[in-house]
Amino acid sequence: MKLFGTMSIKENELIIGGIGVSELKSKHGTPLYIIDQKGFEDKANLFINNFKSNTFDTRVIYASKAFMNLSIAKLVSKLGLCIDVVSGGELYTALKAGFDPNKIYFHGNNKLYDELVLAVQNRVGTIVVDNEYEYDLLSGISGEFETVTRVILRVNPGIEAHTHEYIQTTKNDSKFGLSIFDDKTMDFIIKMSSDPNIDFAGIHCHVGSQVFDENTFLKEADEMIKYAKEIENEAQVVFKELNLGGGFGVYYTDEDNPFELGSFLGRYTKHIEHKLSELDLNPEIISIEPGRSLINSYGSTLYTVGAIKKTMAGLPYVFVDGGMTDNPRPSLYQAKYEAVIANKMDDTDLESYRIAGKCCETGDILIKDASLANPMPGDLLLISSTGAYNYSMSSNYNRIPRPEVVFVKDGVSKTAVKRETYEDLIRNDEVID
Ligand SMILES: *Cc1c(COP(=O)(O)O)cnc(C)c1O
């Protein structure tokens, strides 16, 4: 397993944020989501320090759907990032965490009336409009609140990222945004920019997730800048913000080969500057929206090993005290992970095992083929790179309570989300006689 952030090994044990995993287990129990706070902070600073320009302001917007709770929102705010939310629930969390509403971007392809009211009422800085119906709702709500809402439009530039490469296509069947190849999109922009309740500020796109080919992002920037110039010409507006989305790929296993982000962001910024000056476009702000690449490597899940079961065929099973409830990604999209026996880190004699959870589903496999050091009941098993899209996708299937989340830093662990109790599980149940 690759070590990330502050991970180190001491006396056969994995240490994160200066704390050994056995201490984390005795203090907080398992399964446990562990967030390496320093690792996350360093990554956020790497984004801020490398994505900057002398010709435009830059914004790094944390895509909070990757991992969201009050503590992470507070930390993100403290680090000086903006935040994107995709639902009323995420918006509510950001507001409750004290996030400056001006720095909130509200996404989503079907924002509900009440969600838009919540956003307008709280003066959310930017709404990323997806379609004309939503714009109509938003314009009406802004009118009722006698305010002007800042809007950018989500468009589809005909680039589809396929993880390792991109394909360019004018075919557009994505549920997100409007195609830049559809003339109606420009008509719509013209209409929005003359609406007194709407401040039309620019456009947004997000071409995919877990993308490894940096050309995808360069090509995307080119297409978006070209379209932004067309908007300035045809809609007679001052183009203010270009938001280029997220999707930067990360390492889960040795099959993944992400580019080095710091140097990429430098090249990316230069590329954007060059294209802007070529087309004589001067937006105030260029923004990006990383989610996975900010948090993923700095989250891990710690489990306790239960039974080890040899079957008549295939690899022996190692059962852990969680599973698809805390990490649905392997069963949802065959996502791959690495694991270690975290109290046997110096043991180099590794053998293959299949790691399975405790849910009543044959597909509840966390890792199909993991190399582990002689796992025994009671050992600590850690799966790395579970920071993004794990807690945020977790469920209570089989009425399994969600694990605790702890932030670790400088030898101290702090609870960010409490472990759910059985009482929590029946909280909303009503007994019908
Ligand atoms: C999911 C999402 C992101 C973040 O994607 P990552 O792959 O996690 O970086 C950014 N912007 C939008 C609109 C998204 O939907």
Side-chain angles (χ1 to χ4, degrees), residues 63 65-66 84 86 107 154 176 204-206 208-210 243 245-248 289-293 388-389:
K65 71 179 190 280
D84 101 31
V86 298
H107 280 279
R154 179 160 187 169
F176 295 109
H204 164 274
C205 76
H206 172 71
S209 205
Q210 190 61 348
N243 180 329
F248 313 110
E289 282 171 341
R292 191 191 314 266
S293 54
Y389 308 110

PDB file of all heavy atoms in Angstrom, residues 63 65-66 84 86 107 154 176 204-206 208-210 243 245-248 289-293 388-389, ligand 1:
ATOM      1  N   ALA A  63     -15.265  20.635  -4.218  1.00  0.00           N
ATOM      2  CA  ALA A  63     -16.519  19.954  -4.597  1.00  0.00           C
ATOM      3  C   ALA A  63     -16.947  19.089  -3.414  1.00  0.00           C
ATOM      4  O   ALA A  63     -16.484  17.964  -3.239  1.00  0.00           O
ATOM      5  CB  ALA A  63     -16.312  19.117  -5.846  1.00  0.00           C
ATOM      6  N   LYS A  65     -19.392  17.346  -2.511  1.00  0.00           N
ATOM      7  CA  LYS A  65     -20.084  16.058  -2.550  1.00  0.00           C
ATOM      8  C   LYS A  65     -19.116  14.904  -2.288  1.00  0.00           C
ATOM      9  O   LYS A  65     -19.528  13.821  -1.894  1.00  0.00           O
ATOM     10  CB  LYS A  65     -20.819  15.854  -3.882  1.00  0.00           C
ATOM     11  CG  LYS A  65     -19.921  15.612  -5.092  1.00  0.00           C
ATOM     12  CD  LYS A  65     -20.803  15.392  -6.340  1.00  0.00           C
ATOM     13  CE  LYS A  65     -20.035  14.907  -7.550  1.00  0.00           C
ATOM     14  NZ  LYS A  65     -19.325  15.988  -8.268  1.00  0.00           N
ATOM     15  N   ALA A  66     -17.814  15.146  -2.477  1.00  0.00           N
ATOM     16  CA  ALA A  66     -16.818  14.105  -2.220  1.00  0.00           C
ATOM     17  C   ALA A  66     -16.788  13.707  -0.745  1.00  0.00           C
ATOM     18  O   ALA A  66     -16.643  12.527  -0.413  1.00  0.00           O
ATOM     19  CB  ALA A  66     -15.433  14.575  -2.662  1.00  0.00           C
ATOM     20  N   ASP A  84     -18.335  24.081  -3.426  1.00  0.00           N
ATOM     21  CA  ASP A  84     -19.521  23.850  -4.253  1.00  0.00           C
ATOM     22  C   ASP A  84     -20.426  22.845  -3.594  1.00  0.00           C
ATOM     23  O   ASP A  84     -19.982  21.916  -2.927  1.00  0.00           O
ATOM     24  CB  ASP A  84     -19.141  23.540  -5.713  1.00  0.00           C
ATOM     25  CG  ASP A  84     -19.172  22.092  -6.146  1.00  0.00           C
ATOM     26  OD1 ASP A  84     -19.983  21.312  -5.630  1.00  0.00           O
ATOM     27  OD2 ASP A  84     -18.392  21.749  -7.051  1.00  0.00           O
ATOM     28  N   VAL A  86     -24.317  20.686  -4.085  1.00  0.00           N
ATOM     29  CA  VAL A  86     -25.201  20.209  -5.158  1.00  0.00           C
ATOM     30  C   VAL A  86     -26.610  19.901  -4.659  1.00  0.00           C
ATOM     31  O   VAL A  86     -27.407  19.319  -5.391  1.00  0.00           O
ATOM     32  CB  VAL A  86     -24.630  18.950  -5.850  1.00  0.00           C
ATOM     33  CG1 VAL A  86     -23.298  19.234  -6.507  1.00  0.00           C
ATOM     34  CG2 VAL A  86     -24.498  17.788  -4.878  1.00  0.00           C
ATOM     35  N   HIS A 107     -24.634  23.928  -7.450  1.00  0.00           N
ATOM     36  CA  HIS A 107     -24.776  23.124  -8.664  1.00  0.00           C
ATOM     37  C   HIS A 107     -26.003  22.236  -8.609  1.00  0.00           C
ATOM     38  O   HIS A 107     -26.642  22.097  -7.584  1.00  0.00           O
ATOM     39  CB  HIS A 107     -23.577  22.165  -8.765  1.00  0.00           C
ATOM     40  CG  HIS A 107     -22.347  22.790  -9.296  1.00  0.00           C
ATOM     41  ND1 HIS A 107     -22.137  22.974 -10.633  1.00  0.00           N
ATOM     42  CD2 HIS A 107     -21.244  23.256  -8.672  1.00  0.00           C
ATOM     43  CE1 HIS A 107     -20.947  23.529 -10.803  1.00  0.00           C
ATOM     44  NE2 HIS A 107     -20.392  23.719  -9.623  1.00  0.00           N
ATOM     45  N   ARG A 154     -24.085  26.140 -16.774  1.00  0.00           N
ATOM     46  CA  ARG A 154     -23.343  24.904 -17.059  1.00  0.00           C
ATOM     47  C   ARG A 154     -23.543  24.538 -18.527  1.00  0.00           C
ATOM     48  O   ARG A 154     -24.670  24.399 -18.996  1.00  0.00           O
ATOM     49  CB  ARG A 154     -23.826  23.752 -16.190  1.00  0.00           C
ATOM     50  CG  ARG A 154     -23.053  22.470 -16.531  1.00  0.00           C
ATOM     51  CD  ARG A 154     -23.108  21.443 -15.450  1.00  0.00           C
ATOM     52  NE  ARG A 154     -22.220  20.346 -15.792  1.00  0.00           N
ATOM     53  CZ  ARG A 154     -21.871  19.376 -14.966  1.00  0.00           C
ATOM     54  NH1 ARG A 154     -22.328  19.379 -13.739  1.00  0.00           N
ATOM     55  NH2 ARG A 154     -21.073  18.403 -15.351  1.00  0.00           N
ATOM     56  N   PHE A 176     -26.357  16.769 -17.808  1.00  0.00           N
ATOM     57  CA  PHE A 176     -25.888  18.023 -17.219  1.00  0.00           C
ATOM     58  C   PHE A 176     -25.705  19.118 -18.265  1.00  0.00           C
ATOM     59  O   PHE A 176     -25.083  18.895 -19.305  1.00  0.00           O
ATOM     60  CB  PHE A 176     -24.562  17.803 -16.508  1.00  0.00           C
ATOM     61  CG  PHE A 176     -24.662  16.890 -15.324  1.00  0.00           C
ATOM     62  CD1 PHE A 176     -24.131  15.619 -15.366  1.00  0.00           C
ATOM     63  CD2 PHE A 176     -25.303  17.316 -14.174  1.00  0.00           C
ATOM     64  CE1 PHE A 176     -24.221  14.769 -14.272  1.00  0.00           C
ATOM     65  CE2 PHE A 176     -25.395  16.473 -13.065  1.00  0.00           C
ATOM     66  CZ  PHE A 176     -24.857  15.198 -13.116  1.00  0.00           C
ATOM     67  N   HIS A 204     -19.715  27.345 -17.029  1.00  0.00           N
ATOM     68  CA  HIS A 204     -19.074  26.271 -16.276  1.00  0.00           C
ATOM     69  C   HIS A 204     -19.137  24.982 -17.083  1.00  0.00           C
ATOM     70  O   HIS A 204     -20.086  24.754 -17.817  1.00  0.00           O
ATOM     71  CB  HIS A 204     -19.831  26.060 -14.960  1.00  0.00           C
ATOM     72  CG  HIS A 204     -19.518  24.751 -14.292  1.00  0.00           C
ATOM     73  ND1 HIS A 204     -20.184  23.579 -14.607  1.00  0.00           N
ATOM     74  CD2 HIS A 204     -18.595  24.418 -13.362  1.00  0.00           C
ATOM     75  CE1 HIS A 204     -19.667  22.589 -13.888  1.00  0.00           C
ATOM     76  NE2 HIS A 204     -18.713  23.067 -13.128  1.00  0.00           N
ATOM     77  N   CYS A 205     -18.129  24.134 -16.927  1.00  0.00           N
ATOM     78  CA  CYS A 205     -18.270  22.754 -17.394  1.00  0.00           C
ATOM     79  C   CYS A 205     -17.437  21.840 -16.511  1.00  0.00           C
ATOM     80  O   CYS A 205     -16.536  22.271 -15.782  1.00  0.00           O
ATOM     81  CB  CYS A 205     -17.880  22.597 -18.853  1.00  0.00           C
ATOM     82  SG  CYS A 205     -16.117  22.601 -19.133  1.00  0.00           S
ATOM     83  N   HIS A 206     -17.785  20.579 -16.553  1.00  0.00           N
ATOM     84  CA  HIS A 206     -17.072  19.543 -15.791  1.00  0.00           C
ATOM     85  C   HIS A 206     -17.124  18.311 -16.679  1.00  0.00           C
ATOM     86  O   HIS A 206     -18.200  17.768 -16.913  1.00  0.00           O
ATOM     87  CB  HIS A 206     -17.785  19.322 -14.452  1.00  0.00           C
ATOM     88  CG  HIS A 206     -17.268  18.160 -13.670  1.00  0.00           C
ATOM     89  ND1 HIS A 206     -16.036  18.169 -13.060  1.00  0.00           N
ATOM     90  CD2 HIS A 206     -17.804  16.944 -13.401  1.00  0.00           C
ATOM     91  CE1 HIS A 206     -15.846  17.006 -12.443  1.00  0.00           C
ATOM     92  NE2 HIS A 206     -16.900  16.249 -12.648  1.00  0.00           N
ATOM     93  N   GLY A 208     -15.682  15.278 -16.552  1.00  0.00           N
ATOM     94  CA  GLY A 208     -15.634  13.893 -16.078  1.00  0.00           C
ATOM     95  C   GLY A 208     -14.830  13.808 -14.807  1.00  0.00           C
ATOM     96  O   GLY A 208     -14.401  14.822 -14.264  1.00  0.00           O
ATOM     97  N   SER A 209     -14.651  12.603 -14.327  1.00  0.00           N
ATOM     98  CA  SER A 209     -13.995  12.414 -13.053  1.00  0.00           C
ATOM     99  C   SER A 209     -12.907  11.358 -13.197  1.00  0.00           C
ATOM    100  O   SER A 209     -12.974  10.514 -14.089  1.00  0.00           O
ATOM    101  CB  SER A 209     -15.040  11.949 -12.037  1.00  0.00           C
ATOM    102  OG  SER A 209     -14.636  12.277 -10.739  1.00  0.00           O
ATOM    103  N   GLN A 210     -11.907  11.426 -12.302  1.00  0.00           N
ATOM    104  CA  GLN A 210     -10.806  10.465 -12.318  1.00  0.00           C
ATOM    105  C   GLN A 210     -10.169  10.453 -13.721  1.00  0.00           C
ATOM    106  O   GLN A 210     -10.017   9.411 -14.364  1.00  0.00           O
ATOM    107  CB  GLN A 210     -11.335   9.091 -11.874  1.00  0.00           C
ATOM    108  CG  GLN A 210     -10.319   7.996 -11.603  1.00  0.00           C
ATOM    109  CD  GLN A 210      -9.313   8.317 -10.484  1.00  0.00           C
ATOM    110  OE1 GLN A 210      -9.204   9.434 -10.021  1.00  0.00           O
ATOM    111  NE2 GLN A 210      -8.543   7.341 -10.091  1.00  0.00           N
ATOM    112  N   ASN A 243     -15.525  28.729 -15.247  1.00  0.00           N
ATOM    113  CA  ASN A 243     -15.327  27.685 -14.240  1.00  0.00           C
ATOM    114  C   ASN A 243     -15.118  26.367 -14.976  1.00  0.00           C
ATOM    115  O   ASN A 243     -15.984  25.908 -15.716  1.00  0.00           O
ATOM    116  CB  ASN A 243     -16.562  27.648 -13.332  1.00  0.00           C
ATOM    117  CG  ASN A 243     -16.471  26.585 -12.246  1.00  0.00           C
ATOM    118  OD1 ASN A 243     -15.859  25.531 -12.430  1.00  0.00           O
ATOM    119  ND2 ASN A 243     -17.100  26.850 -11.119  1.00  0.00           N
ATOM    120  N   GLY A 245     -14.404  23.269 -13.756  1.00  0.00           N
ATOM    121  CA  GLY A 245     -14.754  21.997 -13.115  1.00  0.00           C
ATOM    122  C   GLY A 245     -13.578  21.290 -12.466  1.00  0.00           C
ATOM    123  O   GLY A 245     -12.501  21.851 -12.270  1.00  0.00           O
ATOM    124  N   GLY A 246     -13.806  20.023 -12.130  1.00  0.00           N
ATOM    125  CA  GLY A 246     -12.774  19.220 -11.452  1.00  0.00           C
ATOM    126  C   GLY A 246     -12.468  17.980 -12.263  1.00  0.00           C
ATOM    127  O   GLY A 246     -12.496  18.025 -13.491  1.00  0.00           O
ATOM    128  N   GLY A 247     -12.172  16.894 -11.570  1.00  0.00           N
ATOM    129  CA  GLY A 247     -11.979  15.622 -12.259  1.00  0.00           C
ATOM    130  C   GLY A 247     -10.547  15.118 -12.302  1.00  0.00           C
ATOM    131  O   GLY A 247     -10.274  14.084 -12.919  1.00  0.00           O
ATOM    132  N   PHE A 248      -9.627  15.830 -11.653  1.00  0.00           N
ATOM    133  CA  PHE A 248      -8.212  15.422 -11.689  1.00  0.00           C
ATOM    134  C   PHE A 248      -8.034  14.046 -11.032  1.00  0.00           C
ATOM    135  O   PHE A 248      -8.469  13.827  -9.908  1.00  0.00           O
ATOM    136  CB  PHE A 248      -7.345  16.479 -10.983  1.00  0.00           C
ATOM    137  CG  PHE A 248      -7.679  17.883 -11.417  1.00  0.00           C
ATOM    138  CD1 PHE A 248      -8.304  18.766 -10.556  1.00  0.00           C
ATOM    139  CD2 PHE A 248      -7.419  18.295 -12.723  1.00  0.00           C
ATOM    140  CE1 PHE A 248      -8.648  20.052 -10.966  1.00  0.00           C
ATOM    141  CE2 PHE A 248      -7.751  19.582 -13.143  1.00  0.00           C
ATOM    142  CZ  PHE A 248      -8.378  20.454 -12.262  1.00  0.00           C
ATOM    143  N   GLU A 289     -12.726  23.147  -9.741  1.00  0.00           N
ATOM    144  CA  GLU A 289     -13.533  22.533  -8.675  1.00  0.00           C
ATOM    145  C   GLU A 289     -13.084  21.134  -8.313  1.00  0.00           C
ATOM    146  O   GLU A 289     -13.809  20.165  -8.562  1.00  0.00           O
ATOM    147  CB  GLU A 289     -14.981  22.399  -9.165  1.00  0.00           C
ATOM    148  CG  GLU A 289     -15.783  23.629  -9.140  1.00  0.00           C
ATOM    149  CD  GLU A 289     -17.115  23.409  -9.847  1.00  0.00           C
ATOM    150  OE1 GLU A 289     -17.262  22.458 -10.627  1.00  0.00           O
ATOM    151  OE2 GLU A 289     -18.007  24.221  -9.618  1.00  0.00           O
ATOM    152  N   PRO A 290     -11.926  20.969  -7.729  1.00  0.00           N
ATOM    153  CA  PRO A 290     -11.496  19.618  -7.371  1.00  0.00           C
ATOM    154  C   PRO A 290     -12.245  19.061  -6.171  1.00  0.00           C
ATOM    155  O   PRO A 290     -12.520  19.782  -5.207  1.00  0.00           O
ATOM    156  CB  PRO A 290     -10.014  19.822  -7.017  1.00  0.00           C
ATOM    157  CG  PRO A 290      -9.918  21.242  -6.574  1.00  0.00           C
ATOM    158  CD  PRO A 290     -10.940  22.003  -7.355  1.00  0.00           C
ATOM    159  N   GLY A 291     -12.602  17.806  -6.239  1.00  0.00           N
ATOM    160  CA  GLY A 291     -13.202  17.118  -5.095  1.00  0.00           C
ATOM    161  C   GLY A 291     -12.282  15.987  -4.685  1.00  0.00           C
ATOM    162  O   GLY A 291     -11.502  16.092  -3.728  1.00  0.00           O
ATOM    163  N   ARG A 292     -12.324  14.919  -5.492  1.00  0.00           N
ATOM    164  CA  ARG A 292     -11.523  13.732  -5.216  1.00  0.00           C
ATOM    165  C   ARG A 292     -10.046  14.051  -5.004  1.00  0.00           C
ATOM    166  O   ARG A 292      -9.413  13.564  -4.072  1.00  0.00           O
ATOM    167  CB  ARG A 292     -11.667  12.766  -6.404  1.00  0.00           C
ATOM    168  CG  ARG A 292     -11.116  11.380  -6.160  1.00  0.00           C
ATOM    169  CD  ARG A 292     -11.067  10.585  -7.476  1.00  0.00           C
ATOM    170  NE  ARG A 292     -12.275  10.691  -8.253  1.00  0.00           N
ATOM    171  CZ  ARG A 292     -13.292   9.831  -8.203  1.00  0.00           C
ATOM    172  NH1 ARG A 292     -13.224   8.784  -7.423  1.00  0.00           N
ATOM    173  NH2 ARG A 292     -14.370  10.025  -8.954  1.00  0.00           N
ATOM    174  N   SER A 293      -9.474  14.905  -5.875  1.00  0.00           N
ATOM    175  CA  SER A 293      -8.031  15.138  -5.814  1.00  0.00           C
ATOM    176  C   SER A 293      -7.628  15.928  -4.569  1.00  0.00           C
ATOM    177  O   SER A 293      -6.461  15.972  -4.204  1.00  0.00           O
ATOM    178  CB  SER A 293      -7.543  15.840  -7.079  1.00  0.00           C
ATOM    179  OG  SER A 293      -8.292  17.017  -7.302  1.00  0.00           O
ATOM    180  N   ALA A 388     -12.696  10.293  -0.580  1.00  0.00           N
ATOM    181  CA  ALA A 388     -13.763  10.833  -1.432  1.00  0.00           C
ATOM    182  C   ALA A 388     -14.813   9.775  -1.750  1.00  0.00           C
ATOM    183  O   ALA A 388     -14.478   8.607  -1.968  1.00  0.00           O
ATOM    184  CB  ALA A 388     -13.170  11.355  -2.739  1.00  0.00           C
ATOM    185  N   TYR A 389     -16.060  10.207  -1.784  1.00  0.00           N
ATOM    186  CA  TYR A 389     -17.165   9.353  -2.230  1.00  0.00           C
ATOM    187  C   TYR A 389     -17.255   8.052  -1.444  1.00  0.00           C
ATOM    188  O   TYR A 389     -17.611   7.006  -1.991  1.00  0.00           O
ATOM    189  CB  TYR A 389     -17.069   9.086  -3.751  1.00  0.00           C
ATOM    190  CG  TYR A 389     -16.938  10.372  -4.547  1.00  0.00           C
ATOM    191  CD1 TYR A 389     -15.757  10.711  -5.198  1.00  0.00           C
ATOM    192  CD2 TYR A 389     -17.982  11.285  -4.580  1.00  0.00           C
ATOM    193  CE1 TYR A 389     -15.621  11.912  -5.885  1.00  0.00           C
ATOM    194  CE2 TYR A 389     -17.860  12.492  -5.261  1.00  0.00           C
ATOM    195  CZ  TYR A 389     -16.678  12.792  -5.907  1.00  0.00           C
ATOM    196  OH  TYR A 389     -16.556  13.988  -6.582  1.00  0.00           O
TER     197      TYR A 389
HETATM  198  C1  LIG B   1     -18.286  15.949  -9.003  1.00  0.00           C
HETATM  199  C2  LIG B   1     -18.029  17.297  -9.510  1.00  0.00           C
HETATM  200  C3  LIG B   1     -16.790  17.901  -9.313  1.00  0.00           C
HETATM  201  C4  LIG B   1     -15.629  17.196  -8.643  1.00  0.00           C
HETATM  202  O1  LIG B   1     -15.190  16.078  -9.337  1.00  0.00           O
HETATM  203  P1  LIG B   1     -13.899  15.303  -8.795  1.00  0.00           P
HETATM  204  O2  LIG B   1     -13.726  14.191  -9.771  1.00  0.00           O
HETATM  205  O3  LIG B   1     -14.240  14.799  -7.441  1.00  0.00           O
HETATM  206  O4  LIG B   1     -12.772  16.257  -8.787  1.00  0.00           O
HETATM  207  C5  LIG B   1     -16.627  19.200  -9.754  1.00  0.00           C
HETATM  208  N1  LIG B   1     -17.628  19.867 -10.361  1.00  0.00           N
HETATM  209  C6  LIG B   1     -18.836  19.305 -10.569  1.00  0.00           C
HETATM  210  C7  LIG B   1     -19.895  20.093 -11.228  1.00  0.00           C
HETATM  211  C8  LIG B   1     -19.070  18.006 -10.170  1.00  0.00           C
HETATM  212  O5  LIG B   1     -20.271  17.456 -10.395  1.00  0.00           O
END
